[in-house]
Amino acid sequence: MRRNAILFSSKKIGSMTVKNRIVRSATYEGIADDNGLVDNRYVALYENLAKGGVGLIIAGFAFVKENGIAAKYQTGIHRDECIPMLKKSVETVHQINENVKFVLQIAHCGRQVDPNIVKEKKIEPIAPSPIADKSIGIVPKEMTTKDIEDIIQSFIASAERAKRAGFDGVQLHAAHGYLLSEFLSPYMNKRTDNYGGNSENRARIIVDIFEGIKEKCGKDWPVLIKLQIDDFVKDNSSLRPPESIKIARIMADAGFDAIEISGGIYESDEKMDPWYLKVRTTDEEAYFLPYAKKIKKVIGETPLILVGGIRSFRVAEGIVRDGYADFISICLLYTSPSPRD
């Protein structure tokens, strides 16, 4: 029966054919040096994942600018020196199986940064608005229009580096309270210019980055997004449905090649955020499925990737078979403790 499962059928993400519906979701590796450069441990990690038979591997999360690092030992894609070992990891994965697709998640931490990193690297955290992260206590600098333009170019340049390294595409990290997620959330974005206010304005930076990457790297090179659908914060201004569903539609209309949904930030209430739950039975699996059912209805043909506590074949197969998602994403932790990725 499993031989004919839809989970093991191929499907396209943009121009990229993924051999099955199983995705390894981006996870903090914690094995880079102080400059974000990786070594053979990184190569070996992804070599082993490729041997496991997954259709799509998303590596992450790689910071796009020096002030965008969230935690120690995080992978960087912020300068050309990062390329050689990343290229080696891509070549190794493709040597294991040329049909395994390998995508790099790119990110900027925004206001969510380890305070020790701020002290050691003398970084000034930035954000859409000068609102402190209650879990960290640091008030970020409010970004100017020039700062926003600079970040947009940093994402575009990092995507181009990823392409030179041989990755099959990139995924923008716009979830979990990092910078792009901060722009989306009215809880963290109080701007009154073109990057604040209504949903379209708060999504503008992401659309600008997407369009810039497509112009720089080619329209056929896949660009995915990990998209915030709920902040899980007890505040009426926080991001949650139905607005997050509207934003998913904006991303689909912009042309993203696939959308992976997730939720929660460092400040999330533990009683609201399912990330803190222990999945013990199949009934507790797929805690983002209710969101997927709504989002799938509004994003048209854009492939939807579902992550979140999915453990069993029966649940995963049922979700894809019933059309609630196109791919099942599984997060494999490599180090502990780790930042939310």
Side-chain angles (χ1 to χ4, degrees):
M1 290 176 61
R2 293 193 178 189
R3 188 179 305 167
N4 299 319
I6 193 170
L7 274 180
F8 303 131
S9 65
S10 65
K11 187 173 177 63
K12 299 196 77 170
I13 292 180
S15 62
M16 175 174 64
T17 299
V18 182
K19 68 174 184 174
N20 59 45
R21 309 301 185 89
I22 304 170
V23 177
R24 186 273 192 168
S25 190
T27 307
Y28 166 73
E29 301 94 359
I31 49 178
D33 67 12
D34 287 340
N35 296 311
L37 303 179
V38 298
D39 56 26
N40 283 323
R41 293 173 297 167
Y42 186 95
V43 178
L45 168 63
Y46 288 105
E47 179 181 10
N48 287 333
L49 285 168
K51 289 177 180 177
V54 65
L56 170 62
I57 298 171
I58 306 178
F61 53 135
F63 60 92
V64 301
K65 193 173 175 63
E66 286 190 3
N67 68 355
I69 184 172
K72 291 194 72 171
Y73 314 122
Q74 183 183 350
T75 303
I77 189 64
H78 58 304
R79 59 189 192 186
D80 286 354
E81 288 82 355
C82 299
I83 295 175
M85 287 305 295
L86 293 175
K87 184 175 182 179
K88 183 178 179 180
S89 71
V90 175
E91 289 172 347
T92 301
V93 165
H94 288 160
Q95 285 170 5
I96 294 297
N97 189 329
E98 64 181 6
N99 293 320
V100 174
K101 302 304 179 183
F102 197 12
V103 164
L104 181 67
Q105 185 187 78
I106 57 177
H108 190 292
C109 68
R111 67 175 195 160
Q112 278 191 171
V113 54
D114 184 338
N116 293 321
I117 291 287
V118 175
K119 293 178 183 177
E120 291 173 13
K121 294 185 174 291
K122 296 180 173 56
I123 291 172
E124 182 178 28
I126 59 174
S129 301
I131 300 171
D133 184 316
K134 294 175 183 176
S135 69
I136 297 172
I138 298 174
V139 179
K141 172 197 169 187
E142 181 174 30
M143 295 170 68
T144 64
T145 301
K146 186 177 182 304
D147 291 331
I148 293 173
E149 292 171 353
D150 183 49
I151 290 296
I152 291 170
Q153 292 307 313
S154 294
F155 271 94
I156 295 169
S158 293
E160 192 271 335
R161 290 187 193 100
K163 185 175 183 182
R164 278 193 278 150
F167 284 99
D168 296 302
V170 289
Q171 183 188 59
L172 304 186
H173 196 343
H176 301 168
Y178 298 113
L179 184 63
L180 299 185
S181 172
E182 292 165 16
F183 270 92
L184 290 177
S185 174
Y187 175 67
M188 295 173 270
N189 183 350
K190 307 294 184 182
R191 302 179 72 91
T192 57
D193 61 5
N194 288 337
Y195 293 95
N198 61 37
S199 303
E200 289 78 10
N201 279 357
R202 281 183 276 116
R204 187 182 304 277
I205 186 172
I206 297 173
V207 175
D208 287 351
I209 291 168
F210 170 80
E211 292 177 347
I213 293 173
K214 287 291 188 177
E215 182 177 351
K216 184 78 171 180
C217 298
K219 292 182 179 179
D220 291 335
W221 196 62
V223 181
L224 296 68
I225 186 168
K226 189 161 193 171
L227 187 65
Q228 185 83 341
I229 41 81
D230 201 317
D231 290 337
F232 298 116
V233 174
K234 289 182 178 178
D235 187 293
N236 289 334
S237 67
S238 66
L239 182 66
R240 57 169 64 97
E243 185 180 27
S244 59
I245 297 170
K246 178 182 179 181
I247 290 173
R249 174 65 182 269
I250 291 172
M251 298 305 160
D253 289 346
F256 275 94
D257 293 292
I259 297 172
E260 180 181 20
I261 59 171
S262 193
I265 63 176
Y266 284 10
E267 283 188 51
S268 293
D269 188 292
E270 292 187 15
K271 294 181 179 179
M272 298 172 63
D273 188 348
W275 188 71
Y276 292 97
L277 297 176
K278 301 293 184 183
V279 176
R280 293 156 296 195
T281 68
T282 55
D283 290 340
E284 294 172 336
E285 291 186 40
Y287 42 72
F288 291 130
L289 180 57
Y291 299 90
K293 290 179 179 179
K294 295 177 181 178
I295 288 172
K296 187 62 179 169
K297 293 179 180 178
V298 304
I299 63 172
E301 297 300 314
T302 303
L304 180 64
I305 304 172
L306 182 62
V307 73
I310 303 170
R311 303 284 186 269
S312 66
F313 171 83
R314 181 175 67 82
V315 171
E317 174 72 5
I319 290 169
V320 177
R321 184 189 62 241
D322 293 340
Y324 299 133
D326 300 285
F327 294 87
I328 298 298
S329 193
I330 301 171
C331 177
L332 176 65
L333 290 177
Y334 181 67
T335 57
S336 182
S338 69
R340 186 163 196 155
D341 38 41

